[in-house]
């Protein structure tokens, strides 16, 4: 397991899920994520697992719901239009407090869009997406290694908090190849799944998993219960990468593919004598609000870079110190629309000049 591999991000996320004990996969082909079901169809049976190509994305998410309700570790994956079709099922899973791993290899939209890399599903992912006031845990890898690691982490977090976890990547992270080192799964201490529907098995009580609460005040109490859970993960599960913030005159923030490009631009800026730091959210929900607030106590200028028209920037503005200024630079998806490091370096220079 310590051997370095050269593989795609899509393969890495599937490999990580299997290593963490995922034995059930339900999905439907769509570019640019189809490597995931292809890998699962080949490897899961070798581990005693089951792969099902569902008749639709709607069927796949409801199969995930059923497998999760039985206590199994299971996952599904898709790309943007397919994830849209899964939203009702995700709402039911969140309402039923069911774990499960969902991978979204984001493509461009709206509508059918195209297969180019995009980050325009940020709102859908972190604000709920389906009906009702719920959240998903959302992880945003920026490398093939993190695709593997986040699959493991996502399944663990999902079981710990009894809620779905989404890995939000894109066509670049999913399709590119780079080296990664797989590692053996070390199971953390997790709550027992004494809620799982596995048949009576001699028990006197009946196990019920549901999102329907019809008694007087029951649904309100259930929603407050979910709210307390979300507040708890805000305290415990925030993850981010910070670098060069100590002397920064400008903080650059980005996630996923945009962060990879931004890191090169920041290195160029540092070589040019510009004091630029990085603050990369790894959990998009819960968002690293406190990290942004603390970072902007000293540095009052933030540049948010995204592969969309501006979505995460709204959460950045809500999180920074009141007197901080937040600028945005985005490139909506389209053929050849990825910004270059040189392009981002120019944006950084403009912002630094504005500070001066």
């Amino acid at each position: 397991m310590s051997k370095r591999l050269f593989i795609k991000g899509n393969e890495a996320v599937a490999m990580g899920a299997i290593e963490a004990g995922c034995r059930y996969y339900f999905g439907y082909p769509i570019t640019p994520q189809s490597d995931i079901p292809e890998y699962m169809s080949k490897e899961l049976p070798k581990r005693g697992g089951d792969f099902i190509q569902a008749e639709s994305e709607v069927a796949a998410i409801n199969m995930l719901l059923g497998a999760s309700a039985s206590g199994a570790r299971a996952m599904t994956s898709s790309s943007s239009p397919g994830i849209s079709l899964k939203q009702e099922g995700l709402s039911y899973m969140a309402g039923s407090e069911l774990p499960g791993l969902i991978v979204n290899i984001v493509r461009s939209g709206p509508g059918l869009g195209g297969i180019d890399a995009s980050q325009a599903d940020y709102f859908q992912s972190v604000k709920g997406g389906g009906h009702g006031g719920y959240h998903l845990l959302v992880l945003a890898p920026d490398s093939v290694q993190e695709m593997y690691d986040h699959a493991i982490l996502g399944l663990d977090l999902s079981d710990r908090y009894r809620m779905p976890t989404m890995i939000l990547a894109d066509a670049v992270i999913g399709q590119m190849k780079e080296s990664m080192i797989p590692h053996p799964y070390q199971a953390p201490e997790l709550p027992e799944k004494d809620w799982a529907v596995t048949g009576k098995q001699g028990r006197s009580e009946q196990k019920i998993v549901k999102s329907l609460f019809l008694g007087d005040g029951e649904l309100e109490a259930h929603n407050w219960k979910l709210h307390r859970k979300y507040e708890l993960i805000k305290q415990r599960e925030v993850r981010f990468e910070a670098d060069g913030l100590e002397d920064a005159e400008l903080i650059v923030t980005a996630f996923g593919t945009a962060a990879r490009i931004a890191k090169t631009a920041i290195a160029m800026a540092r070589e040019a004598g510009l004091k630029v730091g990085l603050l990369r959210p790894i959990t998009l929900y819960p968002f690293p609000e406190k990290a942004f607030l603390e970072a902007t106590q000293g540095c009052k200028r933030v540049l948010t870079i995204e592969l969309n028209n501006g979505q995460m920037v709204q959460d950045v503005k809500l999180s920074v110190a009141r007197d901080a200024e937040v600028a945005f630079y985005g490139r909506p998806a389209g053929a050849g629309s990825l910004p270059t490091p040189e392009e981002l370096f120019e944006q950084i220079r403009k912002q630094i000049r504005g500070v001066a």
Side-chain angles (χ1 to χ4, degrees), residues 102 165 242:
I102 301 95
T165 295

Side-chain angles (χ1 to χ4, degrees), residues 221-287:
H222 182 63
N223 273 287
W224 281 118
K225 177 187 177 185
L226 295 178
H227 177 77
R228 288 191 295 272
K229 181 183 345 188
Y230 303 147
E231 291 301 305
L232 182 63
I233 69 167
K234 285 181 181 180
Q235 297 172 26
R236 292 181 174 177
E237 304 299 346
V238 171
R239 289 169 170 79
F240 59 88
E241 177 187 0
D243 185 46
L245 299 182
E246 299 80 10
D247 64 343
E249 295 179 1
L250 175 69
I251 297 170
V252 172
T253 183
F255 69 94
T257 293
R260 286 181 70 99
I261 305 170
K263 286 177 182 179
T264 303
I266 290 170
M268 294 167 63
R270 283 282 177 176
E271 288 179 8
L274 304 179
K275 296 178 180 180
V276 184
L278 171 74
L279 185 49
R280 172 177 73 101
I282 295 174
T283 51
L284 300 182
Y285 187 88
F287 193 72

